[in-house]
Amino acid sequence: MSDITHRLSAEGADPLALAGVNDRNLQELERATGVRVNVRGDQVTLAGQTEAVEKATRVASTMIDLARMGEALTSDDVRRLAESNGDNGARMADKEGQIALPGAKRIIQAKSQGQRDYLAAVRENDIVIGIGPAGTGKTYLAVAAGVEALARKRVRRLVLARPAVEAGERLGFLPGDLQAKVDPYLRPLYDALEDMMPQERVQKAIDTRVIEIAPLAYMRGRTLADAFVILDEAQNSTAAQMKMFLTRLGVNSKAVVIGDKTQIDLASREESGLIHVERVLPGIEGIAFCYLEERDVVRHRLVRDIIRAYAADQGT
């Protein structure tokens, strides 16, 4: 089969965003599609066998579109586009799968169809239960949606909760005062927030209780009205705690419950509130279940391979 050459205009695209650090994005495009890639000025040239060039053209076109939008592409993004045969390209560039935070320098982008469906469910339902393995963006996207709702004044408060200790919130043996005891367990939520807002704004919002980050036990007895509420690591809540959390929801509030059924640290798997809600809540209007899978992993490429290896080991 003879080779063909196809040229694309990259005018208006950020060269670094398109090519990646040390041209890693272009190298990944070559590796994943089997074409030869050359960038000169505002022109991208793809050369190789017809079928490979057609696939690479779809992927490269999306890379150019995203680079024009200012999206920071990585080689893993290029790999995911290539794995979907370029079919995920339009979805990645589609604004429905984006969160544009006011004042932020970049757009937060769903990077898989599973993530896109997850964001759509959060927008369309009052309660969303997001279940999936590590690295699928469950917490990050939920926090982004919450920050967006707060910034656009759809809610007045953002409340983020976590079981403070994996097995029953036993804090007494830890050193320090109460804040020092719970902070390590809440740190992933702080990290997500500080990636989306300047640290001083995060601290001011916490000081004025516009944003609240607290152990799940602190939710008892409260009514959370006009709030976007997130429960992270929900697999380590008990059934009673989960019921308590979900029944805190007040007027004009939205809740996102996030968990990974493969990382339950309770004494008995059946005690998990995440397992329990799967049995009792399906079919209720306004409650959506979203399942993210290993193909939605957006961390280092090895995370997906590790998840697959552990799943295979547990199946033997």
Side-chain angles (χ1 to χ4, degrees):
M1 186 180 295
S2 60
D3 284 3
I4 65 168
T5 299
H6 189 80
R7 293 178 177 83
L8 295 169
S9 172
E11 186 176 358
D14 182 331
L16 180 58
L18 177 62
V21 177
N22 297 325
D23 291 339
R24 288 177 186 166
N25 294 350
L26 303 180
Q27 293 167 11
E28 181 61 27
L29 179 60
E30 287 186 331
R31 188 201 65 77
T33 62
V35 304
R36 297 182 299 280
V37 181
N38 182 53
V39 177
R40 181 167 295 178
D42 289 335
Q43 191 171 78
V44 178
T45 302
L46 308 170
Q49 295 187 354
T50 301
E51 186 176 344
V53 169
E54 289 174 352
K55 175 178 178 178
T57 298
R58 291 193 294 272
V59 176
S61 295
T62 300
M63 291 170 62
I64 292 167
D65 288 343
L66 292 170
R68 284 173 176 151
M69 292 161 53
E71 178 70 16
L73 282 168
T74 68
S75 58
D76 284 340
D77 295 330
V78 178
R79 173 179 52 79
R80 278 188 290 274
L81 282 171
E83 285 177 352
S84 67
N85 199 31
D87 294 337
N88 197 39
R91 297 184 188 120
M92 284 188 70
D94 190 338
K95 291 185 179 180
E96 288 298 313
Q98 298 173 358
I99 296 177
L101 299 176
K105 294 181 179 179
R106 66 187 181 88
I107 293 172
I108 294 172
Q109 175 73 54
K111 296 186 176 182
S112 70
Q113 183 58 34
Q115 289 193 347
R116 192 171 182 274
D117 292 343
Y118 177 52
L119 279 180
V122 171
R123 287 174 175 142
E124 295 166 8
N125 296 273
D126 288 338
I127 296 178
V128 173
I129 292 96
I131 299 173
T136 50
K138 304 182 300 297
T139 301
Y140 192 84
L141 291 175
V143 172
V147 170
E148 180 190 38
L150 187 64
R152 300 191 186 282
K153 302 188 184 302
R154 296 175 192 147
V155 296
R156 289 188 302 158
R157 286 189 295 167
L158 175 59
V159 180
L160 304 101
R162 247 187 172 212
V165 180
E166 287 80 355
E169 302 186 352
R170 295 189 295 269
L171 300 173
F173 66 91
L174 294 172
D177 60 16
L178 183 60
Q179 192 65 40
K181 292 174 191 289
V182 301
D183 267 359
Y185 300 98
L186 304 176
R187 175 45 52 187
L189 299 175
Y190 285 104
D191 289 344
L193 276 175
E194 290 171 2
D195 196 42
M196 300 168 199
M197 299 169 60
Q199 188 172 1
E200 60 273 15
R201 281 182 55 202
V202 173
Q203 191 56 54
K204 181 179 179 181
I206 291 172
D207 291 343
T208 57
R209 299 184 68 80
V210 171
I211 295 178
E212 182 179 352
I213 307 176
L216 175 57
Y218 284 25
M219 300 296 107
R220 190 173 301 279
R222 302 179 60 187
T223 299
L224 299 171
D226 208 12
F228 193 109
V229 192
I230 298 171
L231 174 58
D232 194 27
E233 296 290 333
Q235 75 276 2
N236 288 325
S237 66
T238 65
Q241 288 172 329
M242 179 67 77
K243 179 182 176 183
M244 177 272 291
F245 173 80
L246 292 174
T247 55
R248 299 307 92 203
L249 213 59
V251 176
N252 190 41
S253 287
K254 186 184 290 281
V256 182
V257 174
I258 305 155
D260 178 356
K261 293 190 292 183
T262 68
Q263 296 193 33
I264 296 173
D265 297 308
L266 299 172
S268 168
R269 175 183 173 86
E270 293 308 310
E271 289 180 3
S272 171
L274 191 63
I275 300 292
H276 189 250
V277 294
E278 274 195 298
R279 295 200 304 266
V280 301
L281 295 187
I284 297 177
E285 186 176 353
I287 300 178
F289 283 80
C290 288
Y291 291 88
L292 294 158
E293 302 176 2
E294 64 181 45
R295 64 172 173 263
D296 301 306
V297 169
V298 294
R299 289 182 185 166
H300 193 286
R301 64 177 181 81
L302 288 176
V303 172
R304 182 188 299 190
D305 295 335
I306 291 167
I307 291 169
R308 189 180 295 125
Y310 271 90
D313 180 68
Q314 291 171 356
T316 57

Coordinates of all heavy atoms in Angstrom, one line a residue, residues 163-218:
P163 N -15.4 10.8 55.1 CA -15.2 10.1 56.3 C -13.8 10.4 56.8 O -12.8 10.3 56.0 CB -15.3 8.6 55.9 CG -16.1 8.6 54.6 CD -15.7 9.9 53.9
A164 N -13.6 10.9 58.0 CA -12.4 11.4 58.5 C -11.3 10.3 58.6 O -10.1 10.6 58.4 CB -12.5 12.1 59.8
V165 N -11.7 9.2 59.0 CA -10.7 8.0 59.1 C -11.4 6.9 58.4 O -12.6 6.7 58.5 CB -10.4 7.7 60.6 CG1 -9.4 6.5 60.7 CG2 -9.8 8.9 61.3
E166 N -10.6 6.1 57.7 CA -11.1 5.1 56.8 C -12.1 4.1 57.5 O -13.1 3.7 57.0 CB -10.0 4.3 56.2 CG -9.3 5.0 55.1 CD -8.2 6.0 55.6 OE1 -8.1 6.1 56.8 OE2 -7.5 6.6 54.8
A167 N -11.8 3.7 58.8 CA -12.7 2.7 59.4 C -13.3 3.3 60.7 O -12.9 3.0 61.8 CB -11.8 1.5 59.8
G168 N -14.3 4.2 60.5 CA -15.1 4.6 61.6 C -14.8 5.9 62.2 O -15.4 6.2 63.3
E169 N -14.0 6.7 61.6 CA -13.7 8.1 62.1 C -13.2 8.1 63.6 O -13.6 8.9 64.4 CB -15.0 8.9 62.0 CG -15.5 9.0 60.6 CD -16.6 10.0 60.4 OE1 -17.1 10.5 61.4 OE2 -17.0 10.3 59.3
R170 N -12.2 7.2 63.9 CA -11.6 7.1 65.2 C -10.4 8.1 65.2 O -9.3 7.7 64.8 CB -11.2 5.7 65.5 CG -12.4 4.7 65.7 CD -12.0 3.4 66.2 NE -11.1 2.7 65.3 CZ -11.6 1.8 64.4 NH1 -12.8 1.6 64.2 NH2 -10.7 1.2 63.6
L171 N -10.7 9.3 65.7 CA -9.6 10.3 65.6 C -8.8 10.4 66.9 O -7.7 11.0 66.9 CB -10.3 11.7 65.4 CG -11.1 11.8 64.1 CD1 -11.8 13.1 64.1 CD2 -10.2 11.6 62.9
G172 N -9.2 9.8 68.0 CA -8.6 10.1 69.3 C -7.1 9.8 69.4 O -6.4 10.5 70.1
F173 N -6.7 8.8 68.7 CA -5.3 8.3 68.9 C -4.3 9.2 68.1 O -3.1 9.1 68.3 CB -5.1 6.9 68.4 CG -5.4 6.6 66.9 CD1 -4.3 6.7 66.1 CD2 -6.6 6.4 66.5 CE1 -4.5 6.5 64.7 CE2 -6.9 6.2 65.1 CZ -5.8 6.2 64.2
L174 N -4.8 10.1 67.2 CA -3.9 10.9 66.4 C -3.4 12.1 67.2 O -4.1 12.6 68.0 CB -4.6 11.4 65.1 CG -5.1 10.3 64.1 CD1 -5.9 11.0 63.0 CD2 -3.9 9.7 63.5
P175 N -2.2 12.5 66.9 CA -1.6 13.7 67.6 C -2.3 15.0 67.2 O -2.8 15.1 66.1 CB -0.1 13.6 67.3 CG -0.1 13.0 65.9 CD -1.2 12.0 65.9
G176 N -2.1 16.0 68.1 CA -2.6 17.3 67.7 C -4.0 17.6 68.1 O -4.7 16.7 68.6
D177 N -4.5 18.9 67.8 CA -5.9 19.2 68.1 C -6.8 18.6 67.0 O -6.3 18.0 66.1 CB -6.0 20.7 68.2 CG -5.6 21.5 66.9 OD1 -5.5 20.8 65.8 OD2 -5.4 22.7 66.9
L178 N -8.1 18.9 67.1 CA -9.0 18.3 66.2 C -8.7 18.6 64.7 O -8.8 17.8 63.8 CB -10.4 18.7 66.5 CG -11.6 18.1 65.7 CD1 -11.5 16.6 65.9 CD2 -12.9 18.6 66.1
Q179 N -8.4 19.9 64.5 CA -8.1 20.3 63.1 C -6.9 19.6 62.6 O -6.9 19.1 61.4 CB -7.8 21.8 63.0 CG -7.8 22.4 61.6 CD -9.1 22.3 60.9 OE1 -10.2 22.5 61.6 NE2 -9.1 21.9 59.7
A180 N -5.8 19.4 63.4 CA -4.7 18.7 63.0 C -5.0 17.2 62.7 O -4.4 16.6 61.8 CB -3.6 18.8 64.0
K181 N -5.9 16.7 63.5 CA -6.3 15.3 63.3 C -7.0 15.0 61.9 O -6.8 14.0 61.3 CB -7.2 14.8 64.4 CG -6.6 14.7 65.8 CD -7.6 14.4 66.9 CE -7.1 14.6 68.3 NZ -6.2 13.5 68.7
V182 N -7.9 15.9 61.6 CA -8.7 15.7 60.4 C -8.1 16.2 59.1 O -8.4 15.7 58.0 CB -10.2 16.3 60.5 CG1 -10.8 15.7 61.8 CG2 -10.1 17.8 60.6
D183 N -7.2 17.2 59.2 CA -6.7 17.8 57.9 C -6.1 16.8 57.0 O -6.3 16.9 55.7 CB -5.7 18.9 58.3 CG -6.3 20.2 58.4 OD1 -7.5 20.3 58.1 OD2 -5.6 21.2 58.7
P184 N -5.3 15.8 57.4 CA -4.7 14.9 56.4 C -5.7 14.1 55.6 O -5.5 13.8 54.4 CB -3.9 13.9 57.3 CG -3.6 14.7 58.6 CD -4.8 15.5 58.8
Y185 N -6.9 13.9 56.2 CA -7.9 13.1 55.5 C -8.7 14.0 54.5 O -9.4 13.5 53.6 CB -8.9 12.4 56.5 CG -8.1 11.5 57.3 CD1 -7.7 11.8 58.6 CD2 -7.8 10.2 56.9 CE1 -7.0 11.0 59.4 CE2 -7.1 9.3 57.7 CZ -6.7 9.7 58.9 OH -5.9 8.9 59.7
L186 N -8.7 15.3 54.7 CA -9.4 16.3 53.9 C -8.4 16.9 52.9 O -8.9 17.7 52.0 CB -10.0 17.4 54.8 CG -10.9 16.8 55.9 CD1 -11.5 18.0 56.7 CD2 -12.1 16.1 55.3
R187 N -7.1 16.6 52.9 CA -6.2 17.3 52.1 C -6.5 17.2 50.6 O -6.3 18.1 49.8 CB -4.8 16.8 52.4 CG -3.6 17.3 51.5 CD -3.6 18.7 51.2 NE -3.7 19.6 52.4 CZ -3.8 20.9 52.3 NH1 -4.0 21.5 51.1 NH2 -3.9 21.6 53.4
P188 N -6.9 16.0 50.1 CA -7.3 15.9 48.6 C -8.3 16.9 48.2 O -8.3 17.4 47.1 CB -7.8 14.5 48.5 CG -7.1 13.7 49.6 CD -7.1 14.7 50.7
L189 N -9.2 17.3 49.1 CA -10.3 18.2 48.7 C -9.7 19.6 48.7 O -10.0 20.4 47.8 CB -11.4 18.2 49.7 CG -12.2 16.8 49.8 CD1 -13.2 16.9 50.9 CD2 -12.8 16.5 48.4
Y190 N -8.8 20.0 49.6 CA -8.0 21.2 49.6 C -7.2 21.3 48.3 O -7.2 22.4 47.6 CB -7.1 21.4 50.8 CG -7.8 21.7 52.1 CD1 -7.9 20.7 53.1 CD2 -8.2 23.0 52.4 CE1 -8.5 21.0 54.3 CE2 -8.8 23.3 53.6 CZ -8.9 22.3 54.5 OH -9.5 22.6 55.8
D191 N -6.6 20.2 47.9 CA -5.7 20.2 46.7 C -6.5 20.5 45.5 O -6.1 21.3 44.6 CB -5.0 18.9 46.6 CG -3.9 18.7 47.6 OD1 -3.5 19.7 48.3 OD2 -3.5 17.5 47.8
A192 N -7.7 19.9 45.4 CA -8.5 20.1 44.2 C -9.0 21.6 44.1 O -9.0 22.3 43.1 CB -9.8 19.2 44.2
L193 N -9.4 22.1 45.3 CA -9.9 23.5 45.3 C -8.7 24.5 44.9 O -8.9 25.4 44.2 CB -10.3 23.9 46.7 CG -11.8 23.6 47.1 CD1 -12.0 23.9 48.6 CD2 -12.7 24.3 46.3
E194 N -7.5 24.3 45.5 CA -6.4 25.2 45.2 C -5.9 25.1 43.8 O -5.2 26.0 43.4 CB -5.3 24.9 46.3 CG -5.7 25.3 47.7 CD -4.7 24.9 48.7 OE1 -3.7 24.3 48.4 OE2 -5.0 25.1 49.9
D195 N -6.3 24.0 43.1 CA -5.9 23.9 41.7 C -6.9 24.8 40.8 O -6.6 25.1 39.7 CB -6.0 22.5 41.2 CG -5.3 22.3 39.9 OD1 -4.2 22.8 39.7 OD2 -5.8 21.6 39.0
M196 N -8.0 25.2 41.4 CA -9.0 26.0 40.7 C -9.2 27.4 41.1 O -9.7 28.2 40.4 CB -10.4 25.2 40.8 CG -10.4 23.8 40.3 SD -11.9 22.9 40.8 CE -11.3 21.3 40.5
M197 N -8.7 27.7 42.3 CA -8.8 29.0 42.9 C -7.5 29.4 43.5 O -6.8 28.6 44.0 CB -9.9 29.1 44.0 CG -11.3 28.7 43.5 SD -12.5 28.5 44.9 CE -12.4 30.1 45.7
P198 N -7.2 30.7 43.5 CA -6.0 31.2 44.2 C -6.1 30.8 45.7 O -7.2 30.8 46.3 CB -6.0 32.7 44.1 CG -6.8 32.9 42.8 CD -7.8 31.8 42.8
Q199 N -5.0 30.4 46.3 CA -5.0 29.9 47.7 C -5.6 30.9 48.7 O -6.4 30.5 49.6 CB -3.6 29.5 48.2 CG -3.6 28.8 49.5 CD -2.2 28.3 49.8 OE1 -1.2 28.5 49.1 NE2 -2.1 27.6 51.0
E200 N -5.3 32.2 48.4 CA -5.9 33.2 49.3 C -7.4 33.3 49.2 O -8.1 33.6 50.2 CB -5.3 34.6 49.1 CG -5.4 35.2 47.7 CD -4.4 34.7 46.7 OE1 -3.7 33.7 47.0 OE2 -4.3 35.3 45.6
R201 N -8.0 33.1 48.0 CA -9.4 33.1 47.9 C -10.0 31.9 48.5 O -11.1 31.9 49.1 CB -9.8 33.1 46.4 CG -9.7 34.5 45.7 CD -10.1 34.5 44.3 NE -11.4 33.9 44.1 CZ -11.9 33.4 43.0 NH1 -11.1 33.3 41.9 NH2 -13.1 32.9 42.9
V202 N -9.3 30.7 48.4 CA -9.8 29.5 49.1 C -9.9 29.8 50.6 O -10.9 29.5 51.2 CB -8.9 28.3 48.8 CG1 -9.3 27.1 49.6 CG2 -9.0 27.9 47.3
Q203 N -8.8 30.3 51.1 CA -8.8 30.5 52.6 C -9.8 31.5 53.0 O -10.5 31.3 54.1 CB -7.4 31.1 53.0 CG -7.2 31.1 54.5 CD -7.4 29.7 55.1 OE1 -6.8 28.7 54.7 NE2 -8.3 29.6 56.1
K204 N -10.0 32.6 52.3 CA -11.1 33.6 52.6 C -12.5 33.0 52.6 O -13.3 33.2 53.5 CB -11.0 34.8 51.6 CG -12.0 35.9 51.9 CD -11.9 37.0 51.0 CE -13.0 38.1 51.3 NZ -12.9 39.2 50.3
A205 N -12.7 32.1 51.6 CA -14.0 31.5 51.5 C -14.2 30.5 52.6 O -15.4 30.4 53.1 CB -14.1 30.7 50.1
I206 N -13.2 29.8 53.1 CA -13.3 28.9 54.2 C -13.5 29.7 55.5 O -14.4 29.4 56.3 CB -12.0 28.1 54.3 CG1 -12.0 27.1 53.2 CG2 -12.0 27.3 55.7 CD1 -10.7 26.3 53.1
D207 N -12.8 30.8 55.6 CA -13.0 31.7 56.8 C -14.4 32.2 56.9 O -14.9 32.4 58.1 CB -11.9 32.8 56.8 CG -10.5 32.4 57.0 OD1 -10.3 31.2 57.5 OD2 -9.6 33.1 56.7
T208 N -15.0 32.6 55.8 CA -16.4 33.1 55.8 C -17.4 32.0 55.7 O -18.6 32.4 55.6 CB -16.5 34.1 54.7 OG1 -16.2 33.5 53.4 CG2 -15.6 35.3 54.9
R209 N -17.0 30.8 55.7 CA -17.9 29.6 55.6 C -18.7 29.5 54.3 O -19.7 28.9 54.2 CB -18.8 29.5 56.8 CG -18.0 29.4 58.2 CD -19.0 29.3 59.3 NE -19.7 28.0 59.3 CZ -19.2 26.9 59.7 NH1 -17.9 26.8 60.1 NH2 -19.9 25.8 59.7
V210 N -18.2 30.2 53.3 CA -18.8 30.0 52.0 C -18.4 28.7 51.4 O -19.1 28.0 50.7 CB -18.3 31.2 51.0 CG1 -18.7 30.9 49.6 CG2 -18.9 32.5 51.5
I211 N -17.1 28.2 51.8 CA -16.7 26.9 51.5 C -16.4 26.2 52.8 O -15.7 26.8 53.7 CB -15.4 26.9 50.6 CG1 -15.7 27.4 49.2 CG2 -14.9 25.4 50.5 CD1 -14.5 27.5 48.3
E212 N -16.9 25.0 53.0 CA -16.7 24.3 54.2 C -16.2 22.9 53.8 O -16.7 22.2 53.0 CB -18.1 24.1 55.0 CG -17.9 23.4 56.3 CD -19.2 23.3 57.0 OE1 -20.2 23.9 56.6 OE2 -19.3 22.6 58.0
I213 N -15.1 22.5 54.5 CA -14.5 21.2 54.3 C -14.5 20.5 55.6 O -13.8 21.0 56.6 CB -13.1 21.3 53.7 CG1 -13.1 22.1 52.4 CG2 -12.5 19.9 53.4 CD1 -11.7 22.4 51.8
A214 N -15.2 19.4 55.8 CA -15.4 18.9 57.1 C -15.5 17.3 57.1 O -15.9 16.8 56.1 CB -16.6 19.5 57.8
P215 N -15.2 16.7 58.2 CA -15.5 15.2 58.3 C -17.0 15.0 58.2 O -17.8 15.8 58.5 CB -15.0 14.9 59.7 CG -14.1 16.0 60.1 CD -14.6 17.2 59.4
L216 N -17.3 13.8 57.6 CA -18.7 13.4 57.4 C -19.5 13.5 58.7 O -20.7 13.9 58.7 CB -18.8 12.0 56.9 CG -20.2 11.4 56.7 CD1 -21.1 12.2 55.8 CD2 -20.0 9.9 56.1
A217 N -18.9 13.2 59.9 CA -19.6 13.2 61.1 C -20.2 14.5 61.5 O -21.2 14.7 62.2 CB -18.7 12.7 62.3
Y218 N -19.6 15.6 60.9 CA -20.0 17.0 61.2 C -21.3 17.3 60.5 O -21.9 18.4 60.8 CB -18.9 18.0 60.8 CG -17.7 18.1 61.7 CD1 -17.3 17.0 62.5 CD2 -17.0 19.2 61.7 CE1 -16.2 17.1 63.3 CE2 -15.8 19.3 62.6 CZ -15.5 18.2 63.3 OH -14.4 18.3 64.2

